[in-house]
Amino acid sequence: MAYYQQRGDIPPKRHTQHSDADGRLYYEELMGEEGFSADSALLYHRNIPSALSAARTWELPDQATAPNDPLLPRHLKLHDLFGADDPGSGVDVVTGRRLVLGNDDVRISYVVARDASPLYRNAVGDECVYIESGAAQVETVFGALAAGAGDYVVLPRATTHRWLPEGDAPLRAYCIEANSHITPAKRYLSKFGQLLESSPYCERDLHGPLGPLLVDGDPVDAADGYDIFVKHRGTGPGGLAGSVHVSPHHPFDVVGWDGCLYPYTFNVADFEPITGRVHQPPPVHQVFEGSNFVICNFVPRKVDYHPLSIPVPYYHSNVDSDEVMFYCGGNYEARKGSGIGQGSISLHPGGHSHGPQPGAYERSIGVHYFDELAVMVDTFRPLRLGEGGTASDDGAYAWSWVRNS
């Protein structure tokens, strides 16, 4: 983000002495992207942020993938992955993720969680976590974020954080992990990084941390240090590995920070849809982008108003992309009759022309409003199936365009 924010206690001049009331120096940390030639933030810690007292290996959840072979469109029923009896019990948002789809640019996982997560940082890339339902506090080194249904939680690479589900309902999270940074679509930004008037959202819709958490340490476990689970590059499946760093001090010891690099939330209800007299192409639904993929959302909206319009999508062959649609609310008109519902994913791979199921094309004529909610990821390299994708595949979706009459 190029949207400057400031929280807590910082000195008037960067890279200068900054002390507490007793004259004890705070420790300045520069967190920066692209070799400190892009967005960055300065954080002021009570303790040395580099301090480690121990380390060990973290065995990541299964990251192995298999090719989509034979090449097929697929329906993945994500709600089946965590069962119906007390889903999320004993599961946290970090270690409980099940990999659904992935390639060398992005991984998509799903989790249903009730338990607090460990402290965690992803050193591979940014994360964009969409909250399907439930609520959580996301505590970060920058401060706390309140997250609820419909929120995208965008976490920059290497941000130390933890997830604390709240309320009686489990937290259902759709986790998009990049091998790059995740930003607003570049065409929405001015040359200086301001969101343009033509953008479907603006800075007022982005909500950063409320302020530093100022955690001094929990006496129950401070003697043993604080475990921080780190996902990083390695030689495991997907080129990934995991480590646990033990810090003698709690990482949430920041007294203040400023800059243009920080976590934030954006709620899908604040996305203002772009519509037209005839059906608009998928790029009008874009929210974010990463290297070799984009994130879009389809929200409730007035639809095409040309007198001869056909409101559902035309049949289309996205020749450079695999398309992943996560259905998370309302009724998706184009998929009626396919078995797709809340918590479903449709995977439409490049090389297969897709569009509405039989009858949907005709039924949409005369419709003026779609009450639907879906999050789409388009990738520019083929996706492979993770263990969660294989386990939730309905095995029938590929044949759903065949008319039965």
Side-chain angles (χ1 to χ4, degrees):
M1 281 298 300
Y3 179 34
Y4 176 82
Q5 294 278 280
Q6 175 185 324
R7 299 287 190 274
D9 183 14
I10 64 172
K13 184 75 172 176
R14 63 181 175 179
H15 313 325
T16 60
Q17 296 176 32
H18 186 36
S19 305
D20 65 16
D22 297 323
R24 182 173 177 266
L25 280 172
Y26 294 126
Y27 297 93
E28 182 184 63
E29 176 191 10
L30 174 62
M31 182 176 174
E33 297 177 340
E34 300 179 16
F36 306 109
S37 60
D39 290 350
S40 65
L42 285 167
L43 302 93
Y44 295 87
H45 295 263
R46 289 175 170 173
N47 303 292
I48 296 174
S50 306
L52 293 177
S53 57
R56 63 183 185 274
T57 298
W58 169 31
E59 293 296 332
L60 296 176
D62 188 355
Q63 300 295 301
T65 57
N68 181 11
D69 183 18
L71 185 73
L72 287 175
R74 298 178 185 270
H75 171 200
L76 312 180
K77 302 171 73 173
L78 299 192
H79 284 190
D80 290 353
L81 292 176
F82 289 87
D85 297 330
D86 194 21
S89 178
V91 179
D92 70 77
V93 172
V94 172
T95 66
R97 297 178 186 183
R98 297 187 65 176
L99 181 64
V100 178
L101 296 161
N103 61 20
D104 289 340
D105 303 309
V106 64
R107 292 168 301 283
I108 299 172
S109 300
Y110 187 71
V111 64
V112 181
R114 292 184 183 273
D115 290 11
S117 80
L119 292 163
Y120 166 66
R121 72 171 70 107
N122 185 334
V124 180
D126 293 3
E127 294 192 358
C128 178
V129 179
Y130 179 81
I131 307 303
E132 179 189 0
S133 62
Q137 280 285 313
V138 187
E139 294 184 345
T140 84
V141 69
F142 294 88
L145 298 165
D151 277 330
Y152 293 98
V153 183
V154 180
L155 296 150
R157 177 186 285 168
T159 298
T160 304
H161 64 282
R162 65 182 174 187
W163 291 81
L164 305 174
E166 296 180 330
D168 296 330
L171 182 70
R172 294 182 175 270
Y174 185 69
C175 308
I176 303 167
E177 301 178 25
N179 281 7
S180 61
H181 300 302
I182 296 174
T183 67
K186 289 183 175 60
R187 70 178 182 278
Y188 296 162
L189 301 171
S190 75
K191 64 180 179 180
F192 297 113
Q194 182 179 8
L195 285 161
L196 299 169
E197 280 293 305
S198 56
S199 170
Y201 57 95
C202 75
E203 287 83 359
R204 297 181 190 181
D205 302 318
L206 310 179
H207 305 286
L210 298 178
L213 288 168
L214 303 176
V215 174
D216 285 314
D218 183 342
V220 173
D221 62 3
D224 298 324
Y226 295 90
D227 289 350
I228 304 172
F229 286 61
V230 184
K231 183 180 292 180
H232 55 88
R233 298 178 184 89
T235 58
L240 304 175
S243 296
V244 177
H245 286 173
V246 183
S247 171
H249 310 293
H250 200 292
F252 300 161
D253 66 345
V254 171
V255 299
W257 62 269
D258 76 334
C260 296
L261 181 64
Y262 50 86
Y264 63 92
T265 64
F266 169 68
N267 194 276
V268 70
D270 290 324
F271 185 90
E272 301 302 331
I274 298 169
T275 61
R277 293 185 75 224
V278 296
H279 196 82
Q280 299 298 293
V284 303
H285 303 283
Q286 186 177 351
V287 191
F288 303 116
E289 64 189 24
S291 178
N292 289 325
F293 72 94
V294 298
I295 301 172
C296 305
N297 48 219
F298 293 78
V299 301
R301 64 197 183 279
K302 178 180 176 63
V303 291
D304 319 344
Y305 44 89
H306 187 283
L308 296 178
S309 67
I310 300 176
V312 295
Y314 29 73
Y315 293 85
H316 50 288
S317 182
N318 194 348
V319 298
D320 293 317
S321 300
D322 280 10
E323 177 194 285
V324 181
M325 192 81 80
F326 175 54
Y327 303 88
C328 42
N331 296 298
Y332 199 75
E333 294 291 332
R335 294 283 161 259
K336 286 183 176 178
S338 66
I340 281 175
Q342 178 86 20
S344 290
I345 272 183
S346 62
L347 168 63
H348 298 134
H352 174 262
S353 179
H354 64 278
Q357 258 64 33
Y361 205 62
E362 295 82 0
R363 285 194 304 268
S364 74
I365 295 174
V367 173
H368 300 289
Y369 186 83
F370 282 173
D371 181 17
E372 62 189 23
L373 186 61
V375 174
M376 183 174 78
V377 177
D378 275 6
T379 67
F380 297 110
R381 289 200 277 190
L383 286 162
R384 296 166 60 91
L385 292 163
E387 61 82 21
T390 301
S392 59
D393 189 353
D394 80 346
Y397 179 67
W399 331 121
S400 64
W401 285 271
V402 178
R403 288 186 182 271
N404 294 320
S405 57

